[in-house]
Amino acid sequence: MMTALPPPGACALPEVPPQLIVAAVPESVRPARKYVRAAVAYQEPAVPEDALGTLEIIASELVTNAILYGAPSPNTLIRVVVEAEPHHARIEVHDGCCKTPRIRPLSTKRSRGRGLLLVTDMAATWGTDERAAGKVVWAVVTW
């Protein structure tokens, strides 16, 4: 049996699911980054490489924050959703904690607490929304 090849120039990327659900453990950050890159490239194949890199970094920061501050236990699940359009993409990270994240002042006494500063610098905008059981932290990247 022969399978038909896509026509020249056609995108042959495998379909990417509309969301990724991962455990609230540090090992979930890498799959979340990979998912965001794949989902954006699938939804908008012409996204520039630098925008994909920015989206990966923001995904890492948002998922890491959800693991560290938004998950009551490692058994908690985190949901990552990506929506891409021709000139921007939105990443959402859903967790089970209602506490709103805040940017902490820089300090040489802490080894953490800089993630939202990175998100603020790299994203066009970011914010939080309440949901029935927790919150959504989202960021928009433009190119």
Side-chain angles (χ1 to χ4, degrees):
M1 180 168 121
M2 287 185 58
T3 49
L5 295 174
C11 180
L13 293 174
E15 188 169 333
V16 178
Q19 65 182 2
L20 174 71
I21 298 176
V22 294
V25 295
E27 295 79 17
S28 295
V29 175
R30 186 168 188 221
R33 264 195 329 259
K34 289 178 139 191
Y35 167 75
V36 166
R37 175 177 278 270
V40 171
Y42 177 76
Q43 294 174 25
E44 287 296 330
V47 175
E49 181 60 35
D50 61 332
L52 289 171
T54 297
L55 288 158
E56 282 185 303
I57 292 169
I58 289 173
S60 292
E61 295 303 329
L62 296 183
V63 170
T64 298
N65 282 352
I67 292 166
L68 293 175
Y69 309 112
S73 76
N75 296 330
T76 303
L77 297 177
I78 295 169
R79 181 165 62 124
V80 181
V81 179
V82 178
E83 295 175 359
E85 296 188 15
H87 300 288
H88 71 275
R90 177 181 164 114
I91 303 170
E92 296 180 355
V93 177
H94 301 239
D95 67 44
C97 179
C98 294
K99 187 176 178 186
T100 303
R102 62 183 175 89
I103 296 175
R104 297 168 69 176
L106 284 176
S107 171
T108 57
K109 296 177 182 175
R110 286 191 320 268
S111 61
R112 330 186 298 195
R114 295 174 183 86
L116 288 179
L117 289 170
L118 280 173
V119 172
T120 299
D121 282 348
M122 300 178 92
T125 186
W126 72 274
T128 62
D129 296 321
E130 293 180 15
R131 64 184 188 111
K135 70 178 169 305
V136 178
V137 181
W138 54 267
V140 175
V141 173
T142 59
W143 54 88

